[in-house]
Amino acid sequence: MRYLWSVPAAVVAWFVGGFSATYLKGLPEGTTYFVPPRIDLVVLGGIAGGVLAGLLIGRIRIAVPVVLIVAAGMWWLTGNSFGEQLLVTLLMASALGGFFGALGTRSTVVAAFALALPVAWTALRPAEQLTDWRWLWQLNGLLVGAGLAVLLYVACWKRGWRSVGSWIPLTGFYLACFGIVASVRLVSQSTGKPMDAVGDASTEAFFQSFEPLLREYWPWMVVGVLLAIPMVALKLRALPPPPPPADPYADKSNDAVLSDDLDWIDQEEPRRRLLARRQPAS
């Protein structure tokens, strides 16, 4: 019964989380690009949609085939041919996102790592539309800090403060995701160039993305960490108290508590028999 609602919801989540913002943003007149044929949107959108679909379904053996079928169907509805290499890239990105999304339902730390790339990609989207640096710093910084707070909160969803140790590697991976987004976007803009030049440029863009991010948005990231601490504390406080440990002697009588050398206390003594007095021989 669970799959009756989770599979349709995963189909909608794959499209909404991965490609709806680009599709509704505005496309050339007369086109129906459900999946725009751009490598950055194919990779990032496929991973983002796959992660959301995997989180909803929760089973790897169901999530991965579902996202593959949905990705291939949306590609066909767009009007593209199945012989293009972008289709293989879309299928691989969707399957990878669905795998880690379904794996994240078992461990919330894995779910936080899986959501880091979609959150980083979403946080940088307003930068494409804004030209005023002041609004860019405020809006993008707010999204970067809020995204970090959400990831830290998700990491501590099940285990509480025991998962705080994952905050440092999770923050580092979150910063690395911004570099991944910048590299993928640069690769999409370098079509027709030699592969060596594209690889060098993408590597340089990956490492150069950290300096402006830390220089401009570090106050927002500090605010995100400070916001995640009370969020986790309030969540743990709202949980019911843990049940008391089970009594190992609950199904046994009180005699089971006594040691072996005291078992004779409750044992019934054998009935004594009185023998008749022996008559002396005369």
Side-chain angles (χ1 to χ4, degrees):
M1 294 297 293
R2 182 177 182 273
Y3 297 117
L4 294 180
W5 66 266
S6 62
V7 172
V11 174
V12 176
W14 183 89
F15 175 73
V16 172
F19 300 97
S20 65
T22 305
Y23 181 75
L24 299 176
K25 175 182 174 182
L27 294 172
E29 185 177 358
T31 61
T32 56
Y33 280 156
F34 292 98
V35 181
R38 286 172 45 186
I39 188 171
D40 57 339
L41 298 178
V42 164
V43 173
L44 299 175
I47 293 177
V51 167
L52 295 180
L55 287 174
L56 288 174
I57 295 178
R59 293 291 185 273
I60 297 177
R61 64 179 182 271
I62 304 297
V64 174
V66 166
V67 296
L68 290 178
I69 294 173
V70 174
M74 289 292 182
W75 185 263
W76 176 75
L77 291 176
T78 300
N80 298 318
S81 62
F82 286 98
E84 298 186 16
Q85 295 182 354
L86 285 179
L87 174 60
V88 180
T89 305
L90 175 64
L91 296 179
M92 291 179 60
S94 300
L96 184 65
F99 175 81
F100 285 103
L103 197 62
T105 57
R106 305 176 185 178
S107 174
T108 56
V109 176
V110 178
F113 275 91
L115 291 172
L117 184 60
V119 170
W121 183 42
T122 305
L124 291 180
R125 280 189 175 184
E128 302 175 356
Q129 306 295 328
L130 299 176
T131 56
D132 190 356
W133 183 86
R134 181 171 62 88
W135 290 106
L136 179 65
W137 183 82
Q138 291 179 357
L139 181 57
N140 275 91
L142 178 62
L143 293 177
V144 169
L148 179 60
V150 170
L151 293 179
L152 299 181
Y153 176 71
V154 171
C156 297
W157 180 263
K158 281 188 177 180
R159 299 184 60 192
W161 295 118
R162 290 178 294 176
S163 300
V164 173
S166 64
W167 281 16
I168 295 178
L170 179 59
T171 304
F173 183 72
Y174 181 59
L175 293 176
C177 288
F178 289 99
I180 295 174
V181 173
S183 300
V184 173
R185 286 179 175 175
L186 183 62
V187 171
S188 66
Q189 299 171 0
S190 303
T191 55
K193 297 182 180 181
M195 293 298 297
D196 295 338
V198 174
D200 295 340
S202 61
T203 304
E204 184 178 359
F206 176 80
F207 289 103
Q208 288 183 354
S209 64
F210 297 106
E211 181 182 357
L213 182 68
L214 294 176
R215 184 181 65 250
E216 297 176 5
Y217 300 139
W218 70 266
W220 293 102
M221 300 187 68
V222 173
V223 172
V225 176
L226 296 178
L227 181 62
I229 295 175
M231 289 172 61
V232 176
L234 291 175
K235 191 261 179 183
L236 296 179
R237 187 175 180 180
L239 293 177
D247 186 7
Y249 304 106
D251 55 344
K252 299 180 180 180
S253 62
N254 295 332
D255 297 341
V257 183
L258 300 176
S259 58
D260 295 338
D261 56 347
L262 296 178
D263 287 346
W264 60 270
I265 296 178
D266 295 332
Q267 292 181 359
E268 185 177 359
E269 296 182 0
R271 188 175 181 180
R272 299 179 181 179
R273 295 182 179 180
L274 299 179
L275 300 177
R277 180 180 295 182
R278 184 177 180 183
Q279 297 294 331
S282 55

